[in-house]
Amino acid sequence: MRSAILIFPGSNCDRDMMVAVERITGRRPALVWHKESQLDPVDIVIIPGGFSFGDYLRCGALAARAPAMEAVVDHASRGGAVLGVCNGFQILLETGLLPGTLVRNSGLKFVCRETRLAVQETIETPLLSNLATGTELVIPVAHNEGNYFADVALLDSLEQGGQVALRYVQNDPARAANPNGSARDIAGILSANGRVMGMMPHPERAMGNGHASEDGREFLTSVLEGVAR
Amino acid sequence: MQVKINISLKTGVLDPQGRAVESALSGLGFTDASDVRIGKQIMLDIDAEDSARAEQRAARMCESLLANTVIEDYSIEVIDPS
């Protein structure tokens, strides 16, 4: 299982993701600085959370044009697997590897809390291979721009095409299931070929060992085992 | 050549910032303000022989980086130095 984690100025979940992946696979991911224009062959590229380039212009806009992202687009065009978490999701949307965009949370506040996710019925994808449709996972979010936005035609086509991977469902009865106003409660989506996934929740922050939940480990294990096959 | 680019949210895209500002305005007694939308303005110099060329380059910049055309519209104004 070979993996790479990209690092941009302002990434801040790269180390947590590295530790999570290493715990699961026993192999440390390659850390790739954004100025690198080539990637060694890997089973998956992970784009971690953070505030790349200070969120200047738009979240992920500048990172999406970095040399390392050209290498990621190459990797994806050859059918390589990619996972983007939080700011990584924003970057994948800005790159065009995933459709739609993420806008400001509808409540105008940074949201940092646990969310409950339900795995959706999707097209065939290695990224959710061990997780049955309907599996629920408690994984935290921490973001200011996590409100997934697309026009109705695109939302319909994502749903019909099995590209909605994760949705927010009720967790704490005192709070809305959807933390940010995201269209159709979307928390994560897949590319049309099922090889690229973006999600707002942080599985690397739900690894047990003092974290409130261990479901992120289950999720990442599924991703990493799926792409290693 | 100095160029002014205006980037605004497309109609139909929710602008929670605009909405919050509108309610603050209303709290100050400006109840006559409505439909507040917040955008951004980018000023830049473009090395170009004429304004048509400058506008064309600015449009390319908007399409490739400055605007997210999923949710944003842009308009370009070339400020003629003469």
Side-chain angles (χ1 to χ4, degrees):
Chain A
M1 219 329 284
R2 295 156 308 167
S3 60
I5 296 175
L6 297 198
I7 305 178
F8 301 91
S11 295
N12 64 9
C13 301
D14 43 310
R15 188 183 173 282
D16 282 7
M17 187 59 86
M18 178 190 81
V19 171
V21 172
E22 190 175 2
R23 282 211 184 136
I24 292 166
T25 64
R27 189 161 169 181
R28 178 166 289 209
L31 300 178
V32 178
W33 183 236
H34 68 110
K35 288 187 176 166
E36 301 285 332
S37 53
Q38 292 205 328
L39 276 174
D40 289 333
V42 287
D43 298 305
I44 186 168
V45 176
I46 302 177
I47 309 177
F51 301 85
S52 57
F53 295 93
D55 281 349
Y56 292 172
L57 192 63
R58 296 178 304 276
C59 300
L62 302 182
R65 279 85 182 168
M69 283 310 295
E70 286 179 35
V72 173
V73 170
D74 261 13
H75 164 84
S77 70
R78 293 191 302 266
V82 182
L83 173 67
V85 170
C86 198
N87 188 224
F89 186 12
Q90 294 164 340
I91 294 169
L92 290 175
L93 294 164
E94 280 282 347
T95 316
L97 283 173
L98 291 172
T101 190
L102 287 154
V103 298
R104 191 89 185 263
N105 294 345
S106 57
L108 278 175
K109 287 200 171 80
F110 190 96
V111 175
C112 181
R113 66 162 159 106
E114 307 242 279
T115 57
R116 183 177 291 272
L117 310 169
V119 175
Q120 304 296 299
E121 185 175 352
T122 66
I123 45 166
E124 195 175 312
T125 171
L127 298 160
L128 295 169
S129 55
N130 298 351
L131 296 171
T133 301
T135 303
E136 294 194 0
L137 303 162
V138 174
I139 298 181
V141 295
H143 58 247
N144 201 30
E145 282 88 4
N147 178 350
Y148 185 75
F149 180 91
D151 61 27
V152 171
L154 177 57
L155 291 170
D156 287 346
S157 104
L158 289 175
E159 286 181 339
Q160 283 151 20
Q163 285 178 254
V164 177
L166 300 165
R167 277 191 224 264
Y168 301 107
V169 295
Q170 199 76 40
N171 187 33
D172 176 352
R175 280 170 151 168
N178 182 334
N180 52 31
S182 188
R184 303 190 190 176
D185 299 330
I186 289 173
I189 60 169
L190 287 162
S191 59
N193 71 356
R195 311 278 307 174
V196 179
M197 180 159 60
M199 62 192 287
M200 287 315 294
H202 286 271
E204 80 282 8
R205 296 188 188 180
M207 291 287 294
N209 277 340
H211 288 163
S213 160
E214 208 170 345
D215 295 355
R217 176 196 288 270
E218 184 185 349
F219 180 85
L220 283 176
T221 303
S222 161
V223 167
L224 296 165
E225 284 180 355
V227 299
R229 266 175 213 143
Chain B
M1 214 160 284
Q2 197 176 32
V3 175
K4 181 160 93 181
I5 297 170
N6 255 305
I7 296 170
S8 54
L9 282 176
K10 286 186 170 162
T11 355
V13 177
L14 182 74
D15 181 359
Q17 247 191 120
R19 193 173 279 184
V21 168
E22 185 174 323
S23 97
L25 280 172
S26 157
L28 289 170
F30 296 106
T31 49
D32 45 346
S34 64
D35 203 18
V36 177
R37 311 280 286 167
I38 295 179
K40 57 190 142 197
Q41 186 186 78
I42 299 173
M43 302 290 301
L44 69 164
D45 284 322
I46 296 179
D47 183 11
E49 53 270 28
D50 55 46
S51 58
R53 177 79 182 146
E55 189 172 334
Q56 192 185 35
R57 294 295 293 166
R60 289 271 298 278
M61 294 176 199
C62 286
E63 292 289 336
S64 56
L65 174 65
L66 300 178
N68 177 351
T69 52
V70 177
I71 47 166
E72 292 171 331
D73 287 326
Y74 59 86
S75 65
I76 296 162
E77 189 187 332
V78 179
I79 300 162
D80 206 275
S82 56

